[in-house]
């Protein structure tokens, strides 16, 4: 496939690895923020191509992982209602709430459906006027345009039976929270290319300056990630700290302005709780006043649902790059993809699940 | 390392008070169900082999016996329907025992209200598929359930086949040094179904690979190729089949991603939905574990058949870690090719 | 996060702002994709699609940059006689 295959070329990947090995003179710790990049790194074994001492830690960029447990509980409550068609991206279905997950609601008769796009949920609402269609709107800035589009279309169509359960989060506040932590080990960031395709990267410039940390906007294919790592290491080795763009084929400095306009119209910035991390100020999106009528939490009266997370799960430390999955005492024993304690083990993009799936043997031997 | 599902999960059934879809998904949960519930209840030497069917000795004549139920939505999909699946799936389970399939039973569980024309179309497909596979449908059963209590139509088929040789085909015969052959490209059936599933649809020319595997397999057996184990790839795809055999045979299996044929369209669909084609279902593909000295001959024999034209040598069996399957990817890095916990779900991220 | 892949725009229909849509091919798989956020995209262009919505048009000229970068690295390496010798094939 064009614009995919050429970025998975083995010979060029090795060239990047060699170039990186030549550039590195001392240990560095980089964080890829995005779960999609974590998935590619582990799946393609990119970290094994990199020199020893250059460590990649996996950030909080998996929307499935960071969705707080009480929001899952709200989803479970709404999805169990007989009048509701509850639509979600596939990977949310296995994320555990306090007691259960969406798959088990489905097993007990709830009408839970996987959709590829929020626009598919709008279509379902038009086709089923007698039912309430609720879409579980999770995601980062990348998904916000599609979710905003869904509500905007629903309003244009005059749909009264469509609503969103919103758990949107924003990347820059999470990066700042990591950098501001006393335990921070991250010296450079690979910023998530698709988030920046929407938002651009001017937001990252003050962060880079304030914390003197290189930030490289990076794509998702092996060569993208390897180049992003190399560009980050080059900055570190030469004492520079700025925002650079590796993913120029998709990301412009100003981002996608029509998408940003609709996001601003449909959503407003709010404080948001991140699973495993806690509340981060101004780190999420909720529906704006103009679209409040599409808020499923209000419509189904679940705004007050509260929940506690597992105390044994260290996903918060993992999401901040402080610990690695196999350093958790529960990893692979009390916590497995079948019986996850926290969401980093549930989502196939979560760092723990990725390690469990691809690294179990090394972890067992180390 | 011990196989995961026998040690990591002392109380899987208590943990799941209700049966989940994943318990039938061909992954880890289904394995747990078999290990913890079915085998303890029914265990016997034939069942414990955990092969696709049982080979029974009846006064010197070896018979292969198997059963399978078919629940697919939608009932009709590009390249086939529930009827073709119900015939070919059971035929293939017999073939994987090294048998020539001969007789099938068919049990129909029909939901009240199913259009008669739908049932007629399915039955016609079964008739054609049976003729193509050289089997006869010799007994059957019909039940109708209340509207809302079934999903249109479920079909169960059982099959009997005759084993015309003395070769034992079973995971236990797989030994280090064996080579692994794959009969063709993977992922087509699952993606053909996905292409017509509500909420995920896309346009493509992908058709299910659903087909009877009798001819290519019997060609190998008739030529005296030293086959140790056969497994058709169904739910859970290639990755699950290899894992099951690695566990049952207590060997390590190492395969090479660059040898695996996947069609461009299947790859495209998998990229969109975030799925891995190695876990996607097939209905007309198998892996053969054979002695390395027969490798060139076996490939030639498979290539002579339409259903084996794309057959590839994909990997080898080693002593390493029993139960482990590794995949050397296109960048040359080896990683674990694990059994999934349940069904593969489309990812957003 | 955010699985998004490039596909080729085969046709475009609907000009109402929110409903500009097109048929996009991903290695032969065709999907209807909302193109409202990429007004500059034309038939034949590649767009990056996430959950049914195009979020960016792929810039063909910029797409070469990864390889150019390697080319430059290669030239630099040739200028350094003491390079590790482990260079890639």
């Amino acid at each position: 496939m064009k614009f995919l295959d050429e970025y998975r070329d083995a010979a060029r990947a090795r060239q990047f690895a060699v170039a990186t090995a030549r550039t590195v003179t001392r240990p560095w710790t980089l964080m890829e923020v995005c779960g999609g990049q974590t998935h590619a790194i582990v799946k393609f074994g990119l970290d094994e191509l990199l020199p020893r001492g250059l460590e990649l830690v996996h950030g909080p960029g998996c929307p499935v992982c960071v969705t707080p447990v009480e929001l899952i509980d709200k989803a479970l409550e709404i999805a169990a209602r007989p009048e509701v068609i509850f639509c979600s991206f596939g990977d949310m279905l296995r994320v555990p709430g306090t007691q259960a997950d969406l798959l088990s609601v489905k097993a007990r008769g709830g009408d839970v459906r996987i959709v590829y796009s929020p626009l598919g949920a709008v279509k379902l609402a038009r086709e089923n006027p007698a039912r309430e269609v609720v879409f579980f709107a999770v995601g980062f800035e990348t998904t916000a345009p599609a979710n905003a589009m869904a509500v905007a279309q629903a309003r244009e169509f005059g749909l009264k039976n469509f609503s969103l359960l919103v758990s949107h989060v924003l990347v820059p506040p999470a990066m700042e929270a990591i950098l501001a932590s006393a335990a921070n080990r991250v010296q450079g960031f690979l910023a998530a290319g698709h988030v920046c395709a929407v938002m651009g990267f001017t937001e990252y410039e003050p962060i880079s300056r304030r914390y003197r940390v290189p930030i490289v906007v990076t794509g998702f294919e092996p060569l993208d990630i390897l180049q992003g790592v190399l560009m980050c290491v080059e900055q570190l080795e030469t004492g520079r700290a700025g925002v650079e763009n590796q993913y120029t084929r998709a990301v412009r400095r100003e981002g996608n302005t029509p998408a940003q306009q609709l996001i601003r119209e449909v959503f407003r910035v709010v404080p948001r709780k991140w699973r495993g991390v806690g509340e981060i100020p101004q780190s999420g999106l909720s529906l704006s006043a103009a679209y409040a009528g599409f808020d499923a939490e209000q419509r189904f009266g679940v705004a007050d649902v509260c929940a506690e997370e597992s105390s044994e799960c260290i996903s918060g430390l993992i999401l901040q790059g402080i610990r690695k999955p196999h350093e958790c005492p529960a990893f692979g024993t009390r916590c497995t993809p079948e019986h996850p304690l926290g969401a980093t083990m549930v989502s196939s993009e979560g760092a723990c699940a990725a390690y469990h799936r691809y690294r179990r043997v090394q972890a067992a031997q180390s | 390392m011990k196989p995961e599902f026998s040690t990591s999960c002392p109380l899987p059934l208590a943990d799941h008070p209700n049966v989940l879809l994943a318990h039938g998904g061909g992954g880890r949960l289904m394995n747990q169900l078999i290990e913890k519930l079915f085998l303890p209840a029914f265990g016997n030497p034939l069942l414990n082999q955990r092969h696709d069917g049982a080979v029974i000795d009846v006064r010197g004549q070896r018979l292969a016996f198997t059963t399978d139920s078919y629940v697919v939505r939608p009932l009709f999909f590009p390249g086939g329907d529930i009827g073709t699946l119900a015939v070919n799936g059971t035929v293939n389970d017999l073939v994987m025992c090294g048998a020539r399939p001969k007789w099938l039973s068919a049990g129909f569980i029909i939901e009240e209200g199913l259009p008669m024309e739908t049932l007629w179309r399915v039955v016609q497909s079964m008739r054609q598929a049976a003729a193509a596979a050289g089997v006869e449908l010799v007994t059957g059963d019909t039940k109708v359930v209340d509207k809302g209590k079934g999903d249109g139509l479920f079909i169960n088929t059982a099959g009997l086949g005759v084993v015309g040789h003395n070769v034992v085909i079973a995971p236990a015969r797989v030994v280090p040094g064996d080579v692994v052959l794959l009969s063709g490209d993977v992922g087509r059936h699952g993606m053909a179904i996905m292409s017509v599933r509500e909420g995920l649809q896309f346009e493509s020319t992908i058709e299910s690979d659903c087909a009877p595997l009798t001819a290519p397999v019997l060609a190998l057996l008739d030529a005296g190729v030293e086959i140790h184990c056969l497994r058709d790839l169904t739910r859970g795809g290639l990755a699950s089949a290899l894992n099951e055999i690695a566990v049952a045979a207590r060997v390590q299996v190492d395969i090479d991603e660059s040898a695996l044929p996947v069609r461009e369209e299947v790859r495209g669909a998998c990229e969109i939905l975030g799925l891995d084609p190695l876990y996607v279902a097939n209905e007309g593909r198998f892996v053969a574990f054979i002695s390395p000295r027969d490798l060139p001959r076996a490939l030639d024999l498979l290539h002579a058949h339409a259903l084996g034209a794309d057959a590839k040598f994909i990997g080898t069996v080693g002593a390493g870690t029993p139960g482990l399957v590794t995949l050397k990817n296109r960048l040359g890095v080896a990683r674990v090719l694990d059994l999934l916990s349940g069904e593969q779900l489309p990812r957003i991220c | 996060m955010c699985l998004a892949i490039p596909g080729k725009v085969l046709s475009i229909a609907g000009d109402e702002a929110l409903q500009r849509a097109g048929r996009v091919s991903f290695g032969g798989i065709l999907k209807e994709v909302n193109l409202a956020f990429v007004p500059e995209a034309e038939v034949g262009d590649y767009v990056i699609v996430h959950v049914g919505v195009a979020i960016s048009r792929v810039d063909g000229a910029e797409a070469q940059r990864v390889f150019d970068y390697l080319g430059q690295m290669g030239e630099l390496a040739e200028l350094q006689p003491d390079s590790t010798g482990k260079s890639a094939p």
Side-chain angles (χ1 to χ4, degrees):
Chain A
M1 289 172 72
K2 195 175 172 191
F3 296 125
L4 280 186
D5 294 338
E6 58 266 49
Y7 301 99
R8 294 178 183 178
D9 179 73
R12 286 183 160 127
R14 280 193 297 274
Q15 283 177 303
F16 269 118
V18 168
T20 307
R22 281 188 194 134
T23 309
V24 170
T25 63
R26 60 201 134 129
W28 297 110
T29 301
L30 310 182
M31 173 179 276
E32 84 280 356
V33 179
C34 167
Q37 288 168 337
T38 303
H39 197 80
I41 287 166
V42 183
K43 180 175 175 196
F44 290 102
L46 301 181
D47 48 348
E48 294 185 25
L49 297 174
L50 296 173
R52 276 177 176 278
L54 180 56
E55 192 188 352
L56 295 177
V57 296
H58 316 307
C62 166
V64 173
C65 298
V66 301
T67 299
V69 70
E70 65 239 32
L71 221 74
I72 308 285
D73 284 357
K74 290 174 186 179
L76 300 177
E77 202 171 312
I78 295 171
R81 291 173 179 245
E83 75 275 21
V84 166
I85 301 176
F86 194 88
C87 301
S88 169
F89 298 125
D91 37 6
M92 284 307 294
L93 265 57
R94 264 200 282 266
V95 181
T98 314
Q99 299 290 335
D101 57 25
L102 283 166
L103 278 178
S104 48
V105 172
K106 184 168 185 276
R108 289 195 297 264
D111 192 348
V112 177
R113 303 190 193 181
I114 295 173
V115 292
Y116 161 72
S117 166
L119 304 181
V122 174
K123 186 163 166 265
L124 269 177
R126 296 182 80 183
E127 291 164 358
N128 296 277
R131 306 281 303 275
E132 278 286 338
V133 174
V134 182
F135 181 71
F136 200 175
V138 299
F140 280 83
E141 290 92 327
T142 318
T143 317
N147 287 338
M149 173 75 69
V151 198
Q153 282 191 358
R155 188 163 82 164
E156 203 168 82
F157 296 141
L159 293 181
K160 299 281 176 239
N161 64 331
F162 179 79
S163 58
L164 292 187
L165 179 61
V166 180
S167 178
H168 255 288
V169 278
L170 301 170
V171 169
M175 278 169 67
E176 272 213 80
I178 289 165
L179 288 167
S181 154
N184 174 50
R185 305 165 52 224
V186 178
Q187 295 162 297
F189 278 101
L190 307 185
H194 292 144
V195 164
C196 296
V198 173
M199 301 306 290
F201 50 85
T202 54
E203 292 175 279
Y204 298 89
E205 288 162 355
I207 299 176
S208 172
R209 274 197 298 275
R210 191 172 316 134
Y211 296 93
R212 288 212 41 80
V213 58
I215 300 176
V216 179
V217 176
T218 303
F220 294 78
E221 297 305 319
L223 295 193
D224 292 323
I225 293 170
L226 290 169
Q227 188 188 5
V229 168
L230 178 55
M231 288 170 72
C232 213
V233 166
E234 282 178 328
Q235 285 200 44
L236 289 165
E237 289 283 344
T238 54
R240 289 180 293 130
V243 177
E244 290 178 343
N245 183 11
Q246 178 277 328
Y247 200 31
T248 51
R249 65 182 185 276
V251 175
R252 266 54 92 184
R253 184 166 188 274
E254 69 285 1
N256 185 323
T257 37
Q260 290 166 23
Q261 268 168 17
L262 192 67
I263 292 172
R264 275 196 299 273
E265 184 189 320
V266 169
F267 293 116
R268 66 195 163 94
V269 177
V270 294
R272 179 72 74 190
K273 210 165 152 184
W274 295 53
R275 189 167 190 156
V277 178
E279 186 167 295
I280 303 177
Q282 303 306 95
S283 69
L285 297 175
S286 272
L287 288 164
S288 65
Y291 287 86
F294 292 96
D295 186 346
E297 288 196 45
Q298 300 302 328
R299 190 172 298 188
F300 298 97
V302 295
D304 298 330
V305 170
C306 294
E308 287 292 318
E309 291 177 32
S310 155
S311 56
E312 194 179 9
C313 178
I314 63 160
S315 64
L317 298 176
I318 287 163
L319 293 172
Q320 295 170 73
I322 295 167
R323 300 278 287 279
K324 288 254 178 177
H326 57 268
E327 292 165 13
C328 173
F331 177 80
T333 54
R334 289 181 302 285
C335 183
T336 63
E338 293 78 59
H339 309 97
L341 292 178
T344 43
M345 184 57 98
V346 175
S347 159
S348 57
E349 249 184 298
C352 294
Y355 268 65
H356 193 270
R357 187 154 157 209
Y358 299 129
R359 293 292 165 73
R360 193 157 30 89
V361 173
Q362 287 106 305
Q365 286 163 355
S366 67
Chain B
M1 202 181 70
K2 286 190 173 174
E4 271 264 314
F5 50 74
S6 64
T7 56
S8 68
C9 185
L11 289 168
L13 299 170
D15 283 1
H16 293 285
N18 296 89
V19 173
L20 302 179
L21 270 181
H23 281 116
R28 208 178 282 279
L29 278 184
M30 193 179 87
N31 268 292
Q32 285 176 359
L33 193 66
I34 294 171
E35 291 274 333
K36 307 279 180 183
L37 196 140
F38 293 127
L39 288 181
F42 305 123
N44 58 58
L46 282 172
L47 183 65
N48 294 350
Q49 290 177 12
R50 301 194 56 178
H51 197 30
D52 280 340
V55 175
I56 310 157
D57 199 306
V58 184
R59 294 184 198 159
Q61 174 60 62
R62 294 167 76 216
L63 293 176
F65 179 38
T66 191
T67 184
D68 208 334
S69 299
Y70 298 84
V71 292
V72 62
R73 196 166 48 177
L75 296 175
F76 300 87
F77 48 83
D81 58 53
I82 189 170
T84 46
L85 279 187
V87 171
N88 288 330
T90 295
V91 161
N92 289 343
D93 282 349
L94 293 172
V95 173
M96 294 304 122
C97 300
R100 179 178 291 282
K102 299 290 273 186
W103 304 286
L104 298 190
S105 72
F108 295 88
I109 299 172
I110 308 166
E111 184 184 0
E112 183 185 22
L114 182 80
M116 196 58 82
E117 197 234 335
T118 303
L119 186 59
W120 181 83
R121 282 173 64 196
V122 169
V123 167
Q124 294 310 307
S125 319
M126 289 179 76
R127 182 178 65 80
Q128 284 165 13
V135 294
E136 284 180 305
L137 225 146
V138 292
T139 181
D141 177 52
T142 308
K143 294 282 183 300
V144 178
V145 295
D146 290 336
K147 191 157 184 62
K149 298 280 169 64
D151 203 3
L153 177 63
F154 300 142
I155 301 176
N156 171 275
T157 50
L160 267 181
V162 175
V163 182
H165 51 76
N166 293 320
V167 183
V168 175
I169 294 169
R173 287 202 60 227
V174 173
V175 288
D178 280 1
V179 292
V180 186
L181 303 186
L182 170 64
S183 69
D185 68 301
V186 295
R188 264 199 268 156
H189 176 72
M191 295 328 280
I193 300 270
M194 207 68 100
S195 75
V196 287
R197 192 159 278 178
E198 188 187 27
L200 301 173
Q201 313 91 319
F202 49 82
E203 282 175 60
S204 79
T205 59
I206 300 175
E207 293 200 336
S208 169
D209 57 357
C210 185
L213 294 167
T214 319
V217 170
L218 290 186
L220 295 177
L221 281 165
D222 291 347
V225 169
E226 191 183 323
I227 296 177
H228 292 159
C229 191
L230 297 165
R231 181 69 48 112
D232 60 337
L233 311 181
T234 54
R235 286 162 312 177
L238 175 66
S240 304
L242 294 176
N243 268 283
E244 285 166 22
I245 292 176
V247 168
R250 301 197 55 74
V251 293
Q252 177 168 330
V253 178
D254 303 303
I255 63 166
D256 188 345
E257 188 173 27
S258 56
L260 300 176
V262 183
R263 293 206 175 177
E264 178 87 347
E265 279 190 299
V266 170
R267 277 192 56 210
C270 284
E271 293 284 351
I272 298 173
L273 298 171
L275 305 177
D276 185 337
L278 303 191
Y279 293 92
V280 174
N282 307 272
E283 286 292 343
R285 295 287 176 266
F286 67 97
V287 284
F289 288 69
I290 67 167
S291 161
R293 66 170 172 272
D294 285 336
L295 173 60
R297 202 155 62 95
L299 276 176
D300 287 346
L301 287 162
L302 288 175
H303 291 160
H305 281 269
L307 286 168
D310 286 335
K312 293 276 188 313
F313 161 45
I314 61 163
T316 52
V317 176
T321 306
L324 181 70
V325 181
T326 75
L327 175 83
K328 191 169 94 181
N329 70 23
R330 284 163 206 284
L331 301 185
V333 181
R335 62 168 169 88
V336 178
L337 188 66
D338 201 5
L339 200 58
L340 287 191
S341 332
E343 273 196 308
Q344 229 187 172
L345 299 174
R347 297 189 285 134
I348 65 157
C349 45
Chain C
M1 79 202 79
C2 314
L3 183 79
I5 66 162
K8 186 178 186 177
V9 179
L10 299 185
S11 63
I12 299 178
D15 3 294
E16 296 154 73
L18 292 181
Q19 290 178 55
R20 184 173 190 263
R23 277 153 54 86
V24 175
S25 168
F26 304 91
I29 296 292
L30 303 186
K31 262 195 107 64
E32 182 171 299
V33 168
N34 183 292
L35 298 174
F37 297 129
V38 286
E40 74 280 20
E42 294 170 6
V43 170
D45 283 346
Y46 279 77
V47 289
I48 303 234
V49 178
H50 172 65
V51 299
V53 174
I55 52 170
S56 178
R57 187 179 71 85
V58 178
D59 185 323
E62 292 290 336
Q64 277 300 314
R65 291 254 301 235
V66 177
F67 312 122
D68 297 346
Y69 196 86
L70 267 180
Q72 289 159 11
M73 297 294 307
E75 282 160 31
L76 283 177
E78 276 162 30
L79 294 175
Q80 294 172 337
D82 62 339
S83 64
T84 62
K86 289 192 302 183
S87 65

